[in-house]
Amino acid sequence: MPALNTVVFSSDFEPGSQPLNAAKVRWFRRRLKTWGQQNFRDFPWRRTCDPYAILVAEFLLQKTTAATVAPIYQEFVGRYPTLSDLAAAPAEEVASLLQPLGLFFRAQKLRESVLVILENYQGNVPRTEAQLLELPGVGKYIARSVCANAFGQPKAVLDTNVARILQRFFGIDGGKVKSRSSELWEAAERVAPKQQVGPWNLGMLDFGAAVCTARNPRCGECPLQQQCEYKISSEINSRLIAELS
DNA sequence: AAGGCGGGGTC
DNA sequence: GACCCAGCCTT
């Protein structure tokens, strides 16, 4: 007998149903866009258009809760207001400021990236995904997030929140969330709107942090509940449990 | 595909 | 006390 608290059949739906059919995608997009506009979280890095300040935020936010990052980020950009200021700072001082956030390699990578930008791009954060990807410590998520948030480019992102939402709502397997499969990246791009992708991305992150959480998701107050595969599978699971007991 | 990194918040 | 967090890099 399976454990009672696990969801059975989460990726075992009828073969005929297409997970990402157009109507469902449009419904998802409309609902989530509305939710995002009404629940926008106000973080300091969301108030700036400075690509340098946004890049700093991306480094600090890796695998780290946004609320935890906020005060450290304020102190950091206060100390190093410009990219040149950070480039001139002693590595040890930078590391000390970021110590409370863990993942200590980030301080070094961030400083290395800043030096590369100073050397190769005259101190201006590069504007293309390919160029950003070459920076040390910058992967696909950060590259695309900078493109969207700092330069207004239509680049959808896939992070742990987006992956979880897509897997649940559309019933996408995609392997473990950690793997960041190409299937999930394609889904992330597919559901994103054509315009205002930066705000859209932020809405997805906020939704994952507030409603579609990893543990104890708030399905009761979820605007997507009607068409969510996760809810459906949970019901199947509940019935199964009822029958077995 | 899997493991490591990490302090801090949450349940 | 276990789990998770705006990922990335190395085997």
Side-chain angles (χ1 to χ4, degrees):
Chain A
M1 177 171 170
L4 294 184
N5 61 349
T6 57
V7 176
V8 196
F9 301 151
S10 62
S11 61
D12 187 13
F13 297 101
E14 301 172 23
S17 67
Q18 298 185 10
L20 261 66
N21 74 73
K24 185 165 179 175
V25 167
R26 283 195 304 273
W27 188 87
F28 174 87
R29 184 183 300 137
R30 185 170 64 248
R31 289 263 173 152
L32 195 52
K33 189 184 295 182
T34 300
W35 187 95
Q37 290 167 350
Q38 295 171 347
N39 296 274
F40 186 82
R41 289 187 295 174
D42 184 24
F43 292 117
W45 51 85
R46 293 183 174 189
R47 290 173 167 264
T48 180
C49 297
D50 180 5
Y52 156 72
I54 291 174
L55 181 64
V56 168
E58 303 294 355
F59 266 89
L60 272 50
L61 285 164
Q62 293 176 62
K63 292 288 285 179
T64 310
T65 311
T68 304
V69 171
I72 308 291
Y73 171 84
Q74 294 275 47
E75 189 179 353
F76 194 90
V77 295
R79 181 87 66 103
Y80 315 120
T82 72
L83 189 141
S84 300
D85 293 324
L86 178 54
E92 189 170 305
E93 181 184 283
V94 177
S96 171
L97 268 179
L98 299 186
Q99 190 281 334
L101 294 181
L103 296 178
F104 301 131
F105 61 88
R106 290 186 295 184
Q108 177 67 15
K109 295 285 189 182
L110 173 55
R111 197 163 170 285
E112 286 178 20
S113 278
V114 159
L115 292 175
V116 171
I117 293 170
L118 201 58
E119 180 77 13
N120 297 350
Y121 300 98
Q122 295 76 47
N124 300 314
V125 176
R127 304 175 69 92
T128 72
E129 181 180 351
Q131 288 171 325
L132 287 161
L133 273 172
E134 292 177 4
L135 298 173
V138 174
K140 191 168 181 179
Y141 171 84
I142 291 183
R144 296 176 67 89
S145 191
V146 169
C147 286
N149 293 327
F151 302 123
Q153 298 171 18
K155 303 268 188 178
V157 297
L158 176 68
D159 78 319
T160 176
N161 290 296
V162 176
R164 185 174 57 248
I165 295 165
L166 294 175
Q167 286 184 317
R168 286 178 177 168
F169 183 82
F170 292 102
I172 301 171
D173 181 3
K176 294 191 164 190
V177 173
K178 213 176 175 311
S179 68
R180 305 295 165 80
S181 67
S182 58
E183 183 183 7
L184 284 172
W185 270 108
E186 289 167 12
E189 297 197 37
R190 175 88 190 285
V191 301
K194 297 289 183 264
Q195 309 287 335
Q196 297 293 102
V197 178
W200 163 266
N201 288 338
L202 299 181
M204 291 283 277
L205 302 188
D206 290 348
F207 186 75
V211 180
C212 196
T213 52
R215 289 175 300 177
N216 307 323
R218 308 185 176 181
C219 301
E221 52 189 83
C222 178
L224 305 177
Q225 192 186 30
Q226 272 184 318
Q227 298 204 36
C228 182
E229 302 289 351
Y230 183 73
K231 188 206 73 165
I232 292 171
S233 61
S234 294
E235 284 182 353
I236 294 173
N237 194 45
S238 298
R239 281 204 302 274
L240 181 63
I241 292 169
E243 290 172 13
L244 290 176
S245 56

